[in-house]
Amino acid sequence: MKVFTGLVPVVLLASCSAYSPASIDRREVFQSIVAAAGASAAIVNPSFANAVLQPCPKGNCIRTEWIPPSGMNKDAAIASLRKALESYPQEGQNSVDLGGWTIVDDFADGTGRVEFKSGIGTFAKFFNGGKPFIDDLRFEVADDGVVAVRSSSRIGDSDLGVNQKRLNFLVSKLREAGWSAPDPVY
C-alpha cells in the first residue's frame, strides 16, 4: 500500500492546528483531515482503480482486504467469493441476518453489494418502525483478485457485533478455499 505524500503533510498541519487536545478526540481530527484532503490523504492500494468503497466512519462498520490464493485472477476470485456468499444461510447464522440477504450489485464491473436484513423482532419494531435493520456488504475486486471489503450498518452507532459475525462466517469459507483473510475487527 502507498500513501499519497504530496499534500498530506500540509493538510495534516493545517487540519490539526485548529484543534486543541482538550476540545476534540483523535477520531474527529482524523475525519476532518480526510474530509479536508479528500482522496489525497487516503491509504490506497494502486490495484483498486475505482476505489468505490468509503472509509468506515463509525463503530458499526468494518473495512478489510482479502487476498486470493496465488495465481487466481479477477474472474476466478469473483467466482470463489460468490461461492462463499452463496453458502451463507438465507435464514441467517449465529443469531444474525435472520431476515435473509440479497445480492444487489452482481460484480459486473468488479464491484458487488449484498443487503442483509435482521429478523423483525421486538428490538427492530421499537427502533426502526417495525422494519428490519439493513446492512450493506460491499466488495471491490482488483485485477489481481484482491478484494476490498466494507460491511456496515445503515443506521445507528453500534451493530452489536453483527458485521463481525457475518464477516467471520465468510472469512472461514474463504480460508477453506485457500484465501488469506484477516479476522474482522472494527
Side-chain angles (χ1 to χ4, degrees), residues 8 37 78 81 110 140 142:
V8 174
I78 289 173
L81 178 59
E140 182 178 356

Side-chain angles (χ1 to χ4, degrees), residues 32-52:
S32 69
I33 291 168
V34 171
S40 58
I43 298 174
V44 296
N45 179 336
S47 61
F48 294 109
N50 298 332
V52 297

Side-chain angles (χ1 to χ4, degrees), residues 81-89 101 103 170:
L81 178 59
R82 191 167 175 73
K83 182 177 178 181
L85 281 170
E86 290 171 349
S87 73
Y88 196 89
W101 55 271
I103 295 177
L170 295 172

Side-chain angles (χ1 to χ4, degrees), residues 145-162:
V146 175
V147 180
V149 182
R150 185 180 192 272
S151 184
S152 64
S153 302
R154 288 188 183 173
I155 61 171
D157 291 330
S158 173
D159 68 353
L160 305 174
V162 170

